[in-house]
Amino acid sequence: MELVTRDFFLFLSKNNVMNRMAKNWGIGFVRGKMIGGNNFNESLVYIKKLNDQGMTATVDHLGEFVGSSEVARERAEEVIHTIETIARENVNAQVSLKMTSLGLDIDEKLVRENMTRILETAEKHQIMVTIDMEDEARCQKTLDIFKEFRLRYSNVSTVIQAYLYRSESDLDELNPLRPFLRLVKGAYKESPKVAFPDKSDVDQNYKTLIRKQLLSGNYTAIATHDDHMIAYAKQLAKDNQIPASQFEFQMLYGMRNATQQALVKDGYNVRVYVPYGDDWYGYFMRRLAERPANIAFAFKGMTKK
């Protein structure tokens, strides 16, 4: 049943008709509940509230698979504007972005030009930029770009997905760079040739990645809503005397609010992923596909006052 639910929402995430309809509807019923707003300035009020509650944020201008060099450069300008606004407004936030939004499917030279401009701005303001991981077909290119820029810049991180067979070896290969990594389970539909088809195997691999990354001494973002994974990470840190300053839990805006606040109360770092922009539909469907419990979390978040 879980596999059917996942496939259903992944199918919906790629439905162009539904995506166009969602844009036409606007984001009124998810703004401030699941999405920050149409633009970053609209999202600032929600980020400041998170900061007031002891949480930090990472923000993402939604949209991927850009097919035009002009649009890719516009996306880069948006990221630069966001970084500069974070610095000017003095909010505790970082930035996440996708390589396909900067032109990965067009020209890798274009991506490198856009990333250089972004990371020059990020270094100036000491704001972390996380390169989100996309589907497996783009994984190697994304990691190659990350490794290249990690040698030149300190404020760049990336994401490792537990459902891919390759992820443990990727973690080992990245370790010499002393990377800040976000660990996730994964949200794209992949072939059994490259990804674990069974949830139990994904969960076990996720624990393996968490353990390796935490014990390496590298800063770790554990992005999960799964109570069992949260408990596992907390116990692992306790057993190995890993300080809370070495890792953080990451959750999606509008989901598990009480859990986020409880973790902060217990002394853990919590970062909330706050997306913004009108291209929200695909993001929302993939979040529902990740695990059935997210459907309940999303409904609760969308109906809160």
Side-chain angles (χ1 to χ4, degrees), residues 97-124:
L97 51 79
K98 291 180 173 60
M99 291 290 89
T100 56
S101 74
L102 301 181
L104 182 65
D105 293 347
I106 305 169
D107 181 1
E108 289 188 37
K109 181 181 178 182
L110 174 63
V111 172
R112 286 173 168 82
E113 289 174 355
N114 285 334
M115 277 299 293
T116 297
R117 292 168 52 230
I118 289 168
L119 290 176
E120 286 291 330
T121 306
E123 290 288 297
K124 175 183 176 182

Side-chain angles (χ1 to χ4, degrees), residues 162 198-209 229 232:
D198 295 332
K199 178 183 181 298
S200 60
D201 292 328
V202 176
D203 287 350
Q204 187 56 50
N205 199 42
Y206 194 39
K207 289 181 178 180
T208 298
L209 299 180
M229 293 300 169
Y232 173 79

Side-chain angles (χ1 to χ4, degrees), residues 216-233:
S216 72
N218 300 325
Y219 193 81
T220 306
I222 302 161
T224 183
H225 297 146
D226 188 331
D227 289 327
H228 296 295
M229 293 300 169
I230 293 170
Y232 173 79

Side-chain angles (χ1 to χ4, degrees), residues 40 47 57-61 82 86 93-97 272 274-276:
F40 181 62
I47 295 169
T58 186
V59 298
D60 181 11
H61 183 212
T82 298
I86 288 171
Q94 299 176 354
V95 172
S96 295
L97 51 79
V272 180
V274 183
Y276 68 94

